[in-house]
Amino acid sequence: MTLLPPQHGLSLYLHIPFCRTRCTYCDFNIYTNLRHLYEPYTEALCLEVERTLSAIARRAYHPLMPLPPVPETDDALLPLYIETVFLGGGTPSLLSPTLLGRIMASIRRFGTIRDDAEITLEANPGTLNLEKLKSLRVMGINRLSYGAQTFDDAQLKKLGRAHDSAEIGRSFALARESGFDNISLDFIYGLPGETLESWRDTLDKALALEAEHLSLYGLIVEENTSLGKRVLAGKLPVPEDDTAADMYLLALENLAQAGYVQYEISNWARGSLEKYASRHNLTYWLNRPYIGFGPGAHSCFAGYRFAVLKDPREYIQRIQAGESVIDTTEAEEVTPELKRADTVILAWRTNAGLDLQEFKAEFGKPLDEFYPGKVARFLELGLLEEGRNAADHPILRLTVRGRLLSNNVFVEFLPGD
């Protein structure tokens, strides 16, 4: 069983499932009022990391088997290089520097974090002071991702966010003062009652900060969320698809004029993709192996896709007992059919598109032979376009219209269709 392609290091995602409050739109695996679990949870997470990485380094790892105990000696360990680390959530910035430092130490115990590794911490505005930011820099965290969401204070209240628009600017300034030179800001568009003009104002204020990276996500109304229930009850207006599309097109225009380069449907880097595109997220979109730790975290590694069970209390108990924390009911082997579909769909999320020559080399046949007639249909509909990349290989990528209707394209390439 091949664990890692030789040319790539590992990408690690570590889930911190704690938040002060649950936002009205959020259906992520997060929990509030569990501050008493911060320390025991961190210890459990560190054990999962150490057991996993030591097992991989000793070639004793299988995703669906209980993790072996950490060895008493480091003999016979293979070098294990770490390419990216992403501390996500939840709100990882709620943890103390001591606990965050413990997590980073657990990675370094059996893994070698490369000198140029990208190490990201997600944070909410207002959760990091200058002292804490400087501590993050010392422990090796070199990229921040702030969940700003909007500069409209009325919308922030509607979303249940704990910060106001002014706090976004203050938090950004503190990050700069502490030495962070790679900062990403997340925003949501298509909010109930949001207008094109209010979205334009959010974009203008975001661009004024000159963050290295921007992520802009269209709102998805989930039925089981507070926001979703209010929309279904008619208490909030349903976001208009046409308005949301206009907001996306406005973002394309304004960000390009400001020097941002789009590299994925929802993501832009300022000036240089090489310096500021999210290398961790590119791991997903390039369909490379990654491992997730903590409740609800997903992995694609060692020939399987799998996830950790969701309840943090059960997670801690199982780790302490030396039991597996993988939810085997959701695990699946990555078949050639599934890998092909993932490769196509994930590549089409990116502006670089799908390299047809590399696809044929990897899977043995051209794309059309696996999906006869489908590419031609989407080319005719104007949702796909042909081109050539820097290596002069033929590519297929989504058009701007195709990005607006991407799910209509992707569903046609799912396994079994």
Side-chain angles (χ1 to χ4, degrees):
M1 178 171 57
T2 301
L3 296 183
L4 278 176
Q7 70 272 31
H8 302 304
L10 257 180
S11 285
L12 310 181
Y13 172 81
L14 298 101
H15 189 63
I16 311 300
F18 307 118
C19 284
R20 287 176 176 166
T21 60
R22 179 179 285 275
C23 298
T24 61
Y25 59 88
C26 177
D27 73 337
F28 296 160
N29 189 47
I30 66 100
Y31 302 84
T32 60
N33 301 315
L34 291 183
R35 188 179 180 85
H36 63 285
L37 287 186
Y38 287 9
E39 188 167 346
Y41 175 78
T42 299
E43 290 306 313
L45 182 68
C46 291
L47 275 175
E48 186 194 7
V49 169
E50 291 174 2
R51 289 171 184 170
T52 300
L53 296 186
S54 68
I56 294 171
R58 289 181 290 130
R59 296 195 179 278
Y61 176 83
H62 191 287
L64 307 187
M65 300 295 291
L67 292 168
V70 175
E72 294 184 4
T73 66
D74 293 346
D75 296 341
L77 293 180
L78 297 171
L80 192 61
Y81 295 102
I82 310 299
E83 190 83 26
T84 70
V85 177
F86 197 103
L87 293 151
T91 313
S93 51
L94 291 179
L95 296 187
S96 68
T98 299
L99 295 180
L100 290 169
R102 172 75 180 92
I103 293 170
M104 294 303 300
S106 72
I107 296 170
R108 290 187 170 98
R109 181 174 178 189
F110 294 103
T112 299
I113 297 179
R114 288 177 169 165
D115 291 341
D116 64 344
E118 177 191 88
I119 306 174
T120 303
L121 179 91
E122 279 190 333
N124 283 336
T127 58
L128 293 171
N129 59 30
L130 185 60
E131 181 181 0
K132 194 169 183 178
L133 284 161
K134 289 180 178 178
S135 296
L136 298 179
R137 295 283 296 161
V138 169
M139 69 182 72
I141 293 169
N142 54 27
R143 184 174 183 271
L144 286 180
S145 180
Y146 274 118
Q149 314 314 2
T150 178
F151 275 100
D152 185 324
D153 283 327
Q155 288 286 1
L156 286 170
K157 287 183 179 179
K158 197 181 297 182
L159 296 175
R161 301 295 289 175
H163 66 272
D164 60 15
S165 58
E167 187 58 65
I168 300 171
R170 286 194 293 268
S171 294
F172 191 89
L174 284 175
R176 283 284 193 247
E177 186 179 347
S178 67
F180 277 94
D181 57 5
N182 193 354
I183 304 174
S184 180
L185 298 175
D186 288 3
F187 293 94
I188 302 174
Y189 62 91
L191 301 171
E194 186 177 31
T195 66
L196 191 61
E197 285 309 308
S198 63
W199 172 238
R200 188 192 304 274
D201 182 64
T202 282
L203 286 176
D204 288 345
K205 290 175 178 175
L207 293 174
L209 290 175
E210 297 185 343
E212 284 70 33
H213 189 275
L214 295 174
S215 296
L216 312 179
Y217 300 107
L219 176 69
I220 298 175
V221 178
E222 302 288 356
E223 293 183 7
N224 63 332
T225 63
S226 172
L227 182 69
K229 291 172 183 175
R230 293 180 70 192
V231 168
L232 288 173
K235 296 179 180 179
L236 285 176
V238 178
E240 294 287 342
D241 289 342
D242 288 347
T243 301
D246 288 342
M247 291 175 178
Y248 185 74
L249 294 174
L250 179 65
L252 290 180
E253 179 181 355
N254 287 14
L255 268 63
Q257 290 176 355
Y260 284 82
V261 182
Q262 186 184 30
Y263 66 98
E264 192 269 346
I265 287 176
S266 302
N267 288 273
W268 286 258
R270 183 164 63 88
S272 170
L273 291 181
E274 184 178 350
K275 289 178 66 175
Y276 298 127
S278 170
R279 287 162 50 197
H280 183 84
N281 287 339
L282 280 168
T283 297
Y284 304 147
W285 300 320
L286 295 174
N287 205 18
R288 292 174 179 167
Y290 60 91
I291 304 180
F293 301 92
H298 287 255
S299 302
C300 185
F301 189 70
Y304 288 86
R305 292 201 309 201
F306 53 97
V308 179
L309 58 88
K310 291 185 175 181
D311 185 271
R313 298 175 187 84
E314 183 182 0
Y315 170 83
I316 293 170
Q317 292 169 359
R318 287 202 188 187
I319 289 289
Q320 291 174 343
E323 299 172 355
S324 173
V325 291
I326 302 303
D327 182 353
T328 55
T329 63
E330 289 192 9
E332 61 180 335
E333 191 170 1
V334 179
T335 64
E337 183 184 24
L338 182 58
K339 187 175 183 181
R340 282 196 306 271
D342 284 347
T343 298
V344 171
I345 292 170
L346 292 169
W348 281 344
R349 288 196 61 88
T350 70
N351 288 44
L354 177 67
D355 186 314
L356 298 177
Q357 185 170 315
E358 289 186 359
F359 180 90
K360 182 180 178 181
E362 181 171 3
F363 296 107
K365 293 192 297 187
L367 182 68
D368 277 334
E369 292 192 27
F370 289 111
Y371 309 100
K374 293 186 177 183
V375 168
R377 180 157 62 90
F378 287 120
L379 285 169
E380 185 177 350
L381 290 171
L383 303 182
L384 286 175
E385 64 183 3
E386 297 173 307
R388 303 193 80 83
N389 60 19
D392 201 30
H393 294 174
I395 63 167
L396 279 173
R397 61 189 168 206
L398 292 178
T399 62
V400 171
R401 183 166 176 264
R403 289 177 222 159
L404 292 170
L405 299 171
S406 57
N407 287 340
N408 299 67
V409 179
F410 297 159
V411 71
E412 295 286 332
F413 293 84
L414 292 173
D417 285 0

